[in-house]
Amino acid sequence: MKNTFVETGNVRRFLSALSALDARGAQEACLIVVDGEPGLGKTTTLKHWVAQNNCIYLRAKKEWKPGWFANELLDSIRAEQPHSFEKKYAKCLQELAMRQNTALMERRTFGLVIDEADHISSKSAILETIRDISDMIELPTILVGMGKVNEHLKRFPQVLSRVSQKVKFDRLDVADVRRLVAGRCEVAVAEDLVRFVHHASGGYNREVLEAIASIERFGLRFDAGDDGVTMRDMAGQPLLVNRHTGKTILVPETV
């Protein structure tokens, strides 16, 4: 499979939210919430953005407390970890501000991404620490969750008021599946099979990529026609596993 990042509709909405963040009125409103079901490409999108912009990516833990969070943040940027929380906090601000200033001079966005944020979105102490850091240096901070973050934040109006953008990752439409297949698959794929992949996958990125891998395995040893691998070519072949039933979906001859 090609190691290519494909810009889907979800990716474009995320990038639009980042652009809108730059135009915000209240400078302290630096939080973005990215929410959606598992398997829709949130982590892949955010990790790609982090790598492209030299930002920071952390995965929240269920038992995170402010000190643990500060340690992981400092460890991710290879900075020393003072013993007291007050010094850890000051060190975080110093290191982040320095990196943010560098990014400004290089005309790029610097930010902090916290994935699996459902683990912490109902915990006041860690949310307040993240809000304080974001407020102090006006640092774009992206909370990535699986459907619960926005609901949880309603309990913390002082944090919710800092959320300037909300991005919901939706299931892929046919056009997005077509883009993923064209961008990632090593063999040509006919339109009827692309549409069946969309139907069978339910629009989940994870299942679409699984289907692409199956098509590649078949297509690399099959002499397909000019239109690429068709449903008829792959009739009876396994395509992907249904996430709800655990059963393998086979390609029918036609739909």
Side-chain angles (χ1 to χ4, degrees):
M1 194 180 300
K2 300 174 190 173
N3 185 23
T4 305
F5 182 77
V6 178
E7 191 172 294
T8 63
N10 287 325
V11 175
R12 287 195 294 273
R13 283 193 294 277
F14 168 66
L15 295 176
S16 294
L18 286 173
S19 297
L21 187 68
D22 291 335
R24 67 192 183 280
Q27 291 304 303
E28 70 275 10
C30 297
L31 299 183
I32 295 177
V33 174
V34 176
D35 233 343
E37 297 176 85
L40 293 178
K42 300 184 302 295
T43 296
T44 298
T45 299
L46 272 297
K47 283 187 172 181
H48 175 80
W49 180 76
V50 164
Q52 293 292 105
N53 292 279
N54 197 23
C55 295
I56 298 172
Y57 175 92
L58 298 178
R59 180 185 175 277
K61 311 301 187 296
K62 187 175 181 180
E63 301 301 326
W64 248 12
K65 291 181 172 59
W68 185 359
F69 158 71
N71 282 341
E72 287 207 12
L73 199 162
L74 292 171
D75 185 58
S76 72
I77 55 179
R78 296 181 175 85
E80 65 171 304
Q81 298 177 15
H83 292 295
S84 71
F85 175 71
E86 291 80 3
K87 290 181 179 178
K88 292 182 200 292
Y89 178 81
K91 185 66 173 175
C92 286
L93 287 178
Q94 178 188 26
E95 294 288 340
L96 291 171
M98 182 174 63
R99 285 162 174 76
Q100 187 176 39
N101 288 335
T102 299
L104 286 171
M105 289 187 289
E106 295 175 354
R107 296 183 180 277
R108 58 180 173 82
T109 301
F110 176 74
L112 169 64
V113 173
I114 301 177
D115 205 352
E116 306 282 347
D118 302 77
H119 290 316
I120 61 169
S121 56
S122 61
K123 299 178 179 179
S124 177
I126 184 65
L127 283 177
E128 288 293 351
T129 300
I130 292 168
R131 177 182 73 96
D132 286 343
I133 289 175
S134 180
D135 278 3
M136 289 292 289
I137 59 174
E138 298 176 5
L139 175 71
T141 303
I142 302 165
L143 303 178
V144 186
M146 295 179 288
K148 298 179 181 178
V149 175
N150 283 312
E151 188 64 30
H152 286 169
L153 291 185
K154 291 178 182 178
R155 296 168 49 195
F156 308 100
Q158 70 279 20
V159 178
L160 186 61
S161 66
R162 266 56 174 188
V163 177
S164 68
Q165 300 294 318
K166 297 179 181 180
V167 182
K168 184 176 184 295
F169 269 49
D170 296 316
R171 299 186 192 184
L172 304 177
D173 59 20
V174 175
D176 279 334
V177 171
R178 191 180 295 116
R179 290 186 191 98
L180 266 180
V181 171
R184 299 295 302 272
C185 194
E186 297 279 1
V187 300
V189 182
E191 179 65 16
D192 66 337
L193 186 51
V194 169
R195 289 184 173 275
F196 183 70
V197 168
H198 174 256
H199 171 75
S201 68
Y204 290 102
N205 289 51
R206 195 171 296 163
E207 277 83 341
V208 172
L209 294 175
E210 183 184 351
I212 290 172
S214 298
I215 294 168
E216 274 189 1
R217 283 193 296 271
F218 175 85
L220 289 172
R221 63 177 189 271
F222 179 81
D223 187 16
D226 293 340
D227 292 334
V229 179
T230 66
M231 287 182 63
R232 178 168 293 182
D233 294 334
M234 279 194 72
Q237 297 292 319
L239 186 70
L240 57 88
V241 175
N242 185 297
R243 68 165 58 193
H244 302 295
T245 66
K247 295 181 178 180
T248 299
I249 296 176
L250 305 180
V251 180
E253 189 168 323
T254 59
V255 177

